[in-house]
Amino acid sequence: MQPALLRLCIALSVATVVVALLSSVPVLAALASVRSLLLVATIVCWGILFVFYSLRQEAPRKVVSTQGPGGDVLQIATLHALPAAYAKSQGGDFAQGEKLLRSGQYKDAAAAFLRAHEHTMHPACALNAGTALIYIADFDEARAALESGLLRARHLAIRSIEAALRTVLGVLEARQGNMAEALVHYEAAAVLFHQDGDGRGRGDALLNGANACVHRGDWQGARHMLSDAVRAHRRSGGLLGRANAQACRGYIQIECDEVEEALHSIDRATALYRQARSVSGQSHACMLRGNAHFKQLDLDAALAAYQEASSLCKQSGDSLGEASAKVNLGNVHFKQGEVAAALAAYEGALAVHERAGNLLGQARTLTNMGSALARLRRGDEALTALERARMLYERIGAKGRIVDMVDRLIARIKRPRR
């Protein structure tokens, strides 16, 4: 309703101006009466829109955003999303789940939301259960909960729950390395949020899409989605959204070798994450800062940033974030010539990614392992690791420099054998 009302206000305003201009011509002076009617209608329409915006901002949100693992944004339903009858009779488990989720007790939160879902079968419960399960990397259970919720959300008049489920399903696909599928969900979520007049939700879905484009090596697509997300958040406000936009910009700048610019973006993101009290966001910013310093070959600064990121990931219960930090610490060891220490870090990270079913994490870790094994002259093991990585990259549709690097390493290892 909100976008349609806004378009009507704009159309009436344009029509009023056109008629006012035409009525100033003596031949068309009869249009003066129409001009008055259009002016009144325009004023009334803009007044209704203003009231609508005011009421909407004061009303409690049914869906809110939170910082997820790896820099993606997750959506969480509040108790206001449940019908009044459910909120009174079965809201206990849901309310308990909200409290546990806020305190970082994700496993217990998921159990509480699943109990609420069993009683009510409402998609808001499935949404929150899936979100909590993603935090603990239980991807199979998360997928089951989210897909169950999506089936029921399509029958709701409110589109925000379906949009939120789409967003979180996109995060799930991204965490497992399925970037093409993730983008499909993000784009659908952005459309649904727009239809519901939720600019904040639309901006978050687009930011997730921009991150997915970076993973695929699609810089143009990433910049386009980031630009749309920034405009959406500028209109709707939201501290976390602005922080994520700066972090996403920094991520793109790092990948495009604009390191100094990236560090400025990351500093702005860090300040906003602190204002928003987002520990997960701060850990993500630390990881990006470490990546920027690593690209500058400032290894001491990179090591300090990765260690801080690892500590923050432990604090927020982000196991996948810890694994990523471990890989990055291994990269620093590798660069310092401590190859055995680097390999040990990679192996520990790979075990976490395999347990979580994170295909992208596995592929990247195997790439690093292959490089370390090659340096240790363990050619057969290196080739096995790199070929596994190549298969995973093909499976998730990844492209870009990291995939090219794998191909070059495989060719280099095979060359002496011929």
Side-chain angles (χ1 to χ4, degrees):
M1 178 179 177
Q2 183 177 330
L5 187 57
L6 178 60
R7 287 193 291 270
L8 177 61
C9 289
I10 293 171
L12 282 171
S13 299
V14 172
T16 302
V17 172
V18 171
V19 170
L21 292 172
L22 292 175
S23 63
S24 63
V25 179
V27 179
L28 301 174
L31 291 175
S33 59
V34 178
R35 178 189 61 190
S36 301
L37 290 173
L38 282 173
L39 182 60
V40 171
T42 301
I43 293 171
V44 170
C45 191
W46 280 108
I48 293 172
L49 183 65
F50 176 77
V51 171
F52 184 85
Y53 266 109
S54 301
L55 292 174
R56 187 178 183 86
Q57 288 172 357
E58 291 171 3
R61 282 194 176 276
K62 291 180 170 59
V63 176
V64 297
S65 301
T66 184
Q67 188 70 30
D72 293 316
V73 186
L74 292 165
Q75 303 290 327
I76 299 174
T78 69
L79 193 61
H80 303 287
L82 293 179
Y86 289 166
K88 289 180 180 178
S89 62
Q90 304 295 341
D93 284 330
F94 193 98
Q96 183 187 14
E98 283 188 300
K99 183 178 179 181
L100 291 166
L101 193 65
R102 285 193 296 268
S103 63
Q105 301 177 62
Y106 302 121
K107 185 175 182 180
D108 293 335
F113 288 129
L114 287 171
R115 287 196 301 271
H117 186 248
E118 183 179 351
H119 292 306
T120 67
M121 299 305 290
H122 195 275
C125 305
L127 169 65
N128 287 10
T131 297
L133 289 163
I134 285 176
Y135 274 111
I136 59 174
D138 189 346
F139 293 152
D140 289 340
E141 289 296 325
R143 185 179 296 279
L146 294 168
E147 289 181 348
S148 171
L150 188 60
L151 286 173
R152 291 173 173 80
R154 290 168 180 162
H155 303 291
L156 296 179
I158 300 172
R159 310 307 300 272
S160 59
I161 298 295
E162 182 182 351
L165 284 158
R166 288 279 189 185
T167 302
V168 178
L169 272 167
V171 174
L172 174 61
E173 296 289 3
R175 297 316 297 164
Q176 293 189 291
N178 305 319
M179 296 302 163
E181 291 85 348
L183 278 167
V184 170
H185 284 300
Y186 293 148
E187 289 167 355
V191 170
L192 290 168
F193 275 127
H194 180 67
Q195 290 174 357
D196 201 48
D198 188 343
R200 185 263 323 154
R202 180 174 182 270
D204 288 339
L206 290 168
L207 282 176
N208 284 353
N211 283 327
C213 286
V214 177
H215 283 304
R216 289 169 60 86
D218 181 5
W219 318 127
Q220 184 177 356
R223 290 185 187 277
H224 176 72
M225 295 189 87
L226 172 61
S227 178
D228 287 346
V230 168
R231 282 197 294 270
H233 280 301
R234 190 179 294 127
R235 297 190 191 104
S236 63
L239 199 58
L240 186 61
R242 296 201 302 274
N244 284 321
Q246 291 295 338
C248 182
R249 178 176 286 110
Y251 183 23
I252 295 170
Q253 288 166 335
I254 290 170
E255 294 299 316
C256 294
D257 295 322
E258 302 167 1
V259 182
E260 290 298 331
E261 294 87 342
L263 285 169
H264 289 303
S265 298
I266 294 164
D267 286 341
R268 289 193 290 269
T270 301
L272 291 168
Y273 281 133
R274 285 173 180 161
Q275 289 181 47
R277 298 181 181 180
S278 172
V279 177
S280 297
Q282 292 176 58
S283 68
H284 176 54
C286 282
M287 203 84 76
L288 290 174
R289 183 178 292 106
N291 292 346
H293 287 310
F294 186 82
K295 205 152 199 177
Q296 291 178 317
L297 298 181
D298 188 349
L299 299 183
D300 290 337
L303 190 66
Y306 291 144
Q307 287 171 338
E308 184 180 358
S310 179
S311 176
L312 289 167
C313 286
K314 287 179 182 178
Q315 185 179 337
S316 64
D318 182 1
S319 60
L320 292 179
E322 281 191 72
S324 296
K326 193 181 290 288
V327 169
N328 289 330
L329 287 168
N331 292 342
V332 175
H333 288 310
F334 186 88
K335 205 74 174 179
Q336 291 173 330
E338 302 167 357
V339 184
L343 183 60
Y346 297 149
E347 288 172 342
L350 180 63
V352 176
H353 286 308
E354 286 179 336
R355 284 197 300 271
N358 183 8
L359 300 183
L360 182 62
Q362 290 177 55
R364 290 182 166 179
T365 307
L366 284 164
T367 301
N368 293 352
M369 286 179 63
S371 183
L373 288 163
R375 181 72 63 86
L376 294 171
R377 300 186 183 281
R378 293 160 59 177
D380 290 338
E381 294 172 79
L383 195 59
T384 298
L386 291 167
E387 287 177 343
R388 282 181 62 194
R390 191 69 180 84
M391 289 174 59
L392 288 169
Y393 284 131
E394 288 179 1
R395 180 174 170 185
I396 64 180
K399 58 183 179 180
R401 287 177 295 184
I402 192 166
V403 180
D404 295 338
M405 184 182 72
V406 171
D407 290 336
R408 288 196 299 270
L409 284 170
I410 290 173
R412 189 182 306 163
I413 293 169
K414 288 182 174 180
R415 193 177 300 126
R417 300 182 179 192
R418 294 177 182 174

